Amino acid sequence: MHSPRARQRGFTLMEIMVVIFIIGLLIAVVAPSVLGSQDKAMKQKVMADLSTLEQALDMYRLDNLRFPSAEQGLSALVSKPSLEPLPRAWRADGYIRRLPQDPWGTPYQYRAPGQHGRIDIYSLGADGVEGGEGIEADLGNWEL
């Protein structure tokens, strides 16, 4: 007959420590590449949004012979501006359905006239303030 001690099954402390070490090693190797990919994906989303907004602003300009003023902002693409200068031929369904936000949940910024071109559309980056480096850097349509 077997003793009661022989029937007990489980993991030894050494086996558990080896498994935890392997998991930690995998996280140390995989995490940096995943985080780098996330930053790259966020930048690509910003660039795609900026391109869409720039195309909508170009259509607005074609219809109304001017870009929206800085006061009218990007919301002029969604709803007809009530501030001067009023658009001549604003499309009844607008130029885009809704204004996107950047990957960090902040509205895109609009400047007319722009510092980098006729108009500037930009994201303030991860920190939400102007300037910065790396993931906190501003990303704008001047980089398209």
Side-chain angles (χ1 to χ4, degrees), residues 5-74:
R5 194 145 176 83
R7 288 188 210 163
Q8 290 181 353
R9 295 182 183 182
F11 297 106
T12 65
L13 180 60
M14 184 60 87
E15 291 170 330
I16 292 172
M17 288 176 60
V18 167
V19 169
I20 289 174
F21 175 77
I22 291 171
I23 290 172
L25 189 63
L26 287 173
I27 289 173
V29 170
V30 173
S33 65
V34 170
L35 293 177
S37 296
Q38 181 183 15
D39 293 346
K40 185 177 178 182
M42 288 179 157
K43 184 174 180 177
Q44 288 174 340
K45 183 205 183 301
V46 169
M47 291 303 166
D49 287 348
L50 293 177
S51 179
T52 300
L53 290 169
E54 194 171 48
Q55 289 172 7
L57 285 165
D58 285 341
M59 294 302 294
Y60 182 100
R61 182 173 170 261
L62 284 172
D63 290 346
N64 300 291
L65 307 177
R66 63 179 302 133
F67 290 111
S69 67
E71 293 76 26
Q72 292 169 330
L74 293 173

Side-chain angles (χ1 to χ4, degrees), residues 3 8 31 34 42 54 67 77 83-84 86 89 98 115 125 137:
S3 68
Q8 290 181 353
V34 170
M42 288 179 157
E54 194 171 48
F67 290 111
L77 299 174
L83 299 172
E84 292 290 335
L86 296 176
R98 63 187 165 283
Q115 294 177 351

Side-chain angles (χ1 to χ4, degrees), residues 57-135:
L57 285 165
D58 285 341
M59 294 302 294
Y60 182 100
R61 182 173 170 261
L62 284 172
D63 290 346
N64 300 291
L65 307 177
R66 63 179 302 133
F67 290 111
S69 67
E71 293 76 26
Q72 292 169 330
L74 293 173
S75 60
L77 299 174
V78 179
S79 58
K80 186 175 182 178
S82 58
L83 299 172
E84 292 290 335
L86 296 176
R88 296 178 179 202
W90 194 85
R91 292 183 183 183
D93 56 351
Y95 295 87
I96 56 175
R97 289 185 184 180
R98 63 187 165 283
L99 290 175
Q101 290 191 335
D102 70 15
W104 304 280
T106 306
Y108 287 101
Q109 307 297 307
Y110 174 70
R111 206 170 14 224
Q115 294 177 351
H116 301 275
R118 296 178 75 177
I119 56 166
D120 290 346
I121 317 161
Y122 58 101
S123 165
L124 296 172
D127 61 357
V129 296
E130 289 204 28
E133 294 181 14
I135 195 69

